[in-house]
Amino acid sequence: MSMSEPAVYRCSLRNGRVSYLVSVMGLLTAGVLAAGLLGGGVAGRGVGQLLAWLAVVVLVVGPTIAYLRRTRIVIDAEQVRVHTLVGVAGSARRAAVAKVIVPRSGIGFFVDADGKVLVPFRDAYTREQLAAMAGVLGVDLVTTGKSK
């Protein structure tokens, strides 16, 4: 990979937390559809009622898709940026990152040589992705027993 191309790591469906979120949202969507279509919610009530139920489904599915698309870590020649569903991307100078600290669950951190947290990230990535990030940065990947 050349320095002009940023390395992009999207949250992974192989991560337990992410797959759980998608599964729950899928079940919620199925439940809403079943309640609306089979429970008499739209039977014989016209298109307006059907549109209301479909809007609920979109409100459940939409954030899930947005989460999967927006949650990512981008590493370019200058910085490391952590994008989340809501809010401004956190960033750190790439040269300042000395380690990637990953707890067994919770929140991980890009830290400097003194151990100061530069930017946190959610547990939404696989071990392979985290090892690849550490490799691109040329730093160690450290697994701890718990979140900071």
Side-chain angles (χ1 to χ4, degrees):
M1 171 184 333
S2 73
M3 284 299 209
S4 62
E5 296 177 30
V8 179
Y9 300 93
R10 296 192 179 280
C11 66
S12 175
L13 288 172
R14 290 186 7 211
N15 176 282
R17 288 174 182 253
V18 175
S19 60
Y20 177 77
L21 169 77
V22 171
S23 298
V24 167
M25 295 306 262
L27 289 171
L28 184 58
T29 301
V32 167
L33 275 175
L37 297 175
L38 303 176
V42 289
R45 296 201 183 175
V47 175
Q49 187 69 24
L50 177 62
L51 292 177
W53 281 104
L54 289 177
V56 169
V57 170
V58 168
L59 292 174
V60 172
V61 173
T64 304
I65 293 170
Y67 178 81
L68 292 172
R69 292 183 54 84
R70 289 240 341 128
T71 304
R72 65 188 183 280
I73 295 174
V74 180
I75 302 171
D76 63 23
E78 302 287 321
Q79 40 179 323
V80 176
R81 289 185 312 278
V82 177
H83 298 268
T84 58
L85 177 60
V86 179
V88 178
S91 65
R93 285 184 317 105
R94 179 181 174 152
V97 176
K99 281 188 230 175
V100 179
I101 296 180
V102 183
R104 298 211 190 288
S105 67
I107 299 195
F109 306 96
F110 291 101
V111 299
D112 66 11
D114 297 327
K116 178 183 168 213
V117 173
L118 299 172
V119 64
F121 60 90
R122 302 239 353 103
D123 178 19
Y125 306 92
T126 64
R127 289 281 174 223
E128 293 82 14
Q129 287 176 304
L130 294 168
M133 285 180 218
V136 166
L137 291 168
V139 300
D140 291 330
L141 176 65
V142 178
T143 302
T144 64
K146 59 184 176 180
S147 187
K148 241 184 176 183

